[in-house]
Amino acid sequence: MSKCEQCIVREFSSLKALNKEELVRLSECKKSYSIKKGDVIFEEGETINGIYCIKDGVCKLSKLSANGKDHIVKLIKKGELLGQRSIISDEPVNLSAIALEDMEVCFIPRSEVMDFFEKNNQFSMNVMKTICGDLKEADDHAVNMAQKTVKERLAETLLYLADTFGKNDDDSLKVQLSREELASMIGTATESCIRLLSDFNKLGLIELSGKKITLKEIGKLKKMAE
């Protein structure tokens, strides 16, 4: 089992504020898990009693709407923490987390997190900043959904996937989403998303090969997304 003080991943999250002694305690209490692509980490309404630190892989955070459709709220990558808000607010989780690829995660019990929160000022500030950042993102997303066309939102989402998660050696997007998942991210029907991708392909903005998407005209996509 890897020691937290030697783990580079913690430098990307609120955990970077922990001192050596706290990291040793963290190493002793955390549990490490391997999660397979498609597996559920937790479900909306569940009480999770801790936070998850993503050591490797990507998962989606989604919410089930009244009509039973899955709406992807956010994608979470290596180095981020899951469940901070529900620990602080002492409420069940508001979203479901599902692995988009094979993942390695560490689970840190609530009691330890709250202890760090109470005793380490910088850690609690970091957690609060992260939660505030999430709120700002949610506000921006709501405005985007209201003001941008589906075409603009698709261009923006494709650029976000490239910028945040990178590309494979063949230049295709590293995170492979199904057409349904992509449609859910941009807030449209799957058919509309498929039609738009096909239009983008014909215009030479992107190249489609099975599930793979390669961005060809970054400049034009950026202009479209603005």
Side-chain angles (χ1 to χ4, degrees), residues 10 14-20 22-23 26 116 120 123:
R10 69 180 165 81
S14 311
L15 299 173
K16 66 175 174 279
L18 301 185
N19 61 39
K20 201 159 182 357
E22 288 168 329
L23 287 169
L26 193 58
F116 298 146
N120 183 324
F123 174 72

Side-chain angles (χ1 to χ4, degrees), residues 153-211:
R153 294 201 300 265
L154 176 59
E156 187 176 48
T157 301
L158 292 172
L159 291 165
Y160 156 75
L161 292 174
D163 291 344
T164 312
F165 304 99
K167 298 172 184 176
N168 295 311
D169 294 339
D170 64 359
D171 241 14
S172 63
L173 295 178
K174 204 165 214 152
V175 168
Q176 277 192 27
L177 297 173
S178 68
R179 300 297 186 250
E180 203 173 350
E181 285 166 337
L182 197 51
S184 157
M185 278 192 80
I186 61 174
T188 191
T190 308
E191 299 73 40
S192 307
C193 180
I194 291 169
R195 201 164 46 244
L196 271 176
L197 284 170
S198 168
D199 291 347
F200 279 21
N201 189 39
K202 281 180 196 137
L203 289 166
L205 300 172
I206 63 171
E207 193 178 284
L208 300 173
S209 168
K211 251 193 185 183

Side-chain angles (χ1 to χ4, degrees), residues 38-195:
D39 282 359
V40 175
I41 302 169
F42 53 74
E43 280 187 322
E44 195 180 326
E46 219 177 279
T47 302
I48 56 172
N49 288 321
I51 57 174
Y52 291 88
C53 178
I54 310 299
K55 202 172 172 192
D56 203 14
V58 178
C59 71
K60 61 177 178 179
L61 284 178
S62 63
K63 195 161 185 61
L64 217 53
S65 59
N67 62 5
K69 260 197 162 21
D70 214 18
H71 180 71
I72 296 177
V73 176
K74 197 179 180 192
L75 299 182
I76 299 285
K77 64 183 188 302
K78 171 179 172 172
E80 294 190 72
L81 299 179
L82 279 178
Q84 293 179 97
R85 194 173 65 199
S86 67
I87 287 297
I88 304 306
S89 65
D90 200 11
E91 291 172 343
V93 285
N94 188 32
L95 304 164
S96 296
I98 297 152
L100 283 175
E101 53 189 45
D102 290 351
M103 297 179 76
E104 296 294 326
V105 305
C106 293
F107 180 75
I108 307 155
R110 183 178 197 276
S111 53
E112 296 298 324
V113 179
M114 291 317 289
D115 202 49
F116 298 146
F117 196 80
E118 282 158 26
K119 293 176 184 166
N120 183 324
N121 242 340
Q122 194 52 55
F123 174 72
S124 44
M125 274 305 284
N126 287 353
V127 172
M128 288 308 183
K129 276 183 183 162
T130 306
I131 293 171
C132 290
D134 286 346
L135 281 172
K136 182 182 178 297
E137 258 180 49
D139 288 345
D140 292 345
H141 185 65
V143 170
N144 262 354
M145 284 296 213
Q147 294 182 350
K148 290 193 171 180
T149 65
V150 179
K151 192 159 94 175
E152 289 164 345
R153 294 201 300 265
L154 176 59
E156 187 176 48
T157 301
L158 292 172
L159 291 165
Y160 156 75
L161 292 174
D163 291 344
T164 312
F165 304 99
K167 298 172 184 176
N168 295 311
D169 294 339
D170 64 359
D171 241 14
S172 63
L173 295 178
K174 204 165 214 152
V175 168
Q176 277 192 27
L177 297 173
S178 68
R179 300 297 186 250
E180 203 173 350
E181 285 166 337
L182 197 51
S184 157
M185 278 192 80
I186 61 174
T188 191
T190 308
E191 299 73 40
S192 307
C193 180
I194 291 169
R195 201 164 46 244

